[in-house]
Amino acid sequence: MEATKTINGFKHLKYTAPRHPKELMEQKSLDFYESMNQRRTVREISSEPIEKSIINRLIQTASTAPSGAHKQPWTFCAISSPALKKEIRIAAESEEKESYDHRMSDRWLNDLKPMATDWQKPFLEDAPWLIVVFKQVYELENNEKQNNYYVNESVGIACGLLITAIHQAGLATLTHTPSPMTFLTKILDRPKNERPFLLLPVGYAAKHAYVPDLKRKLLKDVAVYY
Ligand code: IYR
């Protein structure tokens, strides 16, 4: 079989998926599930430094995500500057205080009680790195706006891979979505085609970190077989 072929004038490469014997597949899928089942949203992050080379690789992993028409409509802003982290914390806490005090419904506040969250976000300064993920809603082609495809799905999948990569590196994160989060566009000086999508502080879990005693839904409650 040829190593390459041409379709619509584009080169395609022969693909060989890595294939495992059945028992190894059983073992690897079980091991990976058990490892991922240990992932927890951690709100207390240690200030212990993390090498930039690690952050680079986590972002490279996230950027392997599939995306609509392979547009890869994402930008990962990695912030370690204490001054910028402080600026982000001040802006986020100001929005969060308004949300907790006035914008969120009683039902919402009640649903958050098990998570023990409030408007204060010390992890935005404690974490050695903040990764702010932006989605690129359109591209500029010859000065014309061209919308990207399935942007939320694509960037959501990339964030899933990022969270997975962070966990498997032995680090902790949480999905932080201050609302509204337009202040991030300004502080990070992002171009007009980008919108903030998710903010992930990255670091070691603090030694004193506690997480709520949450239970995950069982397979029978999340899967339907036909
Ligand atoms: N964005 C707020 C509130 C919040 C909302 C949900 I839904 C959560 O699962 C957790 C928090 C905050 O970060 O505190």
Side-chain angles (χ1 to χ4, degrees):
M1 212 174 300
E2 301 293 325
T4 68
K5 68 174 174 177
T6 302
I7 308 175
N8 299 334
F10 289 86
K11 186 163 129 183
H12 287 240
L13 310 174
K14 177 81 189 69
Y15 178 67
T16 313
R19 200 183 155 124
H20 306 301
K22 232 174 135 202
E23 302 77 56
L24 185 60
M25 194 199 288
E26 286 278 357
Q27 195 58 53
K28 282 176 83 81
S29 57
L30 176 63
D31 288 350
F32 194 63
Y33 158 64
E34 286 179 345
S35 161
M36 289 312 297
N37 199 27
Q38 286 174 26
R39 186 203 56 80
R40 295 301 311 263
T41 288
V42 178
R43 297 193 163 80
E44 289 152 302
I45 309 271
S46 153
S47 59
E48 192 175 335
I50 305 289
E51 290 292 333
K52 187 177 171 186
S53 59
I54 303 291
I55 302 299
N56 287 343
R57 260 180 246 125
L58 301 176
I59 293 173
Q60 280 180 302
T61 300
S63 199
T64 67
S67 60
H70 194 53
K71 294 289 184 181
Q72 304 171 87
W74 44 64
T75 305
F76 300 90
C77 297
I79 300 131
S80 63
S81 148
L84 264 187
K85 286 193 289 180
K86 189 185 189 117
E87 201 180 337
I88 290 172
R89 177 180 178 181
I90 289 169
E93 285 186 337
S94 134
E95 291 294 359
E96 291 292 279
K97 181 143 185 26
E98 189 59 24
S99 291
Y100 276 86
D101 289 352
H102 304 295
R103 294 195 280 237
M104 289 153 76
S105 65
D106 287 345
R107 176 174 179 267
W108 193 351
L109 292 171
N110 208 44
D111 278 340
L112 286 182
K113 276 188 182 154
M115 274 53 106
T117 59
D118 60 30
W119 64 269
Q120 295 181 80
K121 307 296 171 190
F123 52 76
L124 292 174
E125 278 190 275
D126 294 343
W129 291 92
L130 304 179
I131 301 180
V132 183
V133 185
F134 284 83
K135 62 179 182 184
Q136 299 172 352
V137 285
Y138 61 86
E139 297 185 316
L140 278 182
E141 270 173 39
N142 311 320
N143 246 351
E144 268 187 50
K145 279 188 193 178
Q146 301 291 352
N147 282 342
N148 281 324
Y149 314 100
Y150 299 99
V151 170
N152 290 318
E153 291 84 348
S154 304
V155 182
I157 294 166
C159 288
L161 290 182
L162 182 56
I163 292 164
T164 306
I166 291 168
H167 175 65
Q168 73 79 47
L171 299 170
T173 189
L174 68 133
T175 49
H176 182 45
T177 51
S179 174
M181 52 181 183
T182 39
F183 65 86
L184 291 165
T185 305
K186 231 175 141 186
I187 294 177
L188 300 171
D189 195 25
R190 299 313 305 160
K192 277 210 290 285
N193 65 326
E194 294 188 3
R195 310 270 181 279
F197 188 81
L198 190 61
L199 192 167
L200 296 162
V202 183
Y204 290 102
K207 286 213 170 69
H208 60 264
Y210 279 78
V211 294
D213 184 17
L214 304 177
K215 301 283 176 264
R216 294 198 156 105
K217 286 182 178 176
L218 300 174
L219 178 66
K220 70 174 178 56
D221 300 322
V222 298
V224 186
Y225 292 85
Y226 297 89

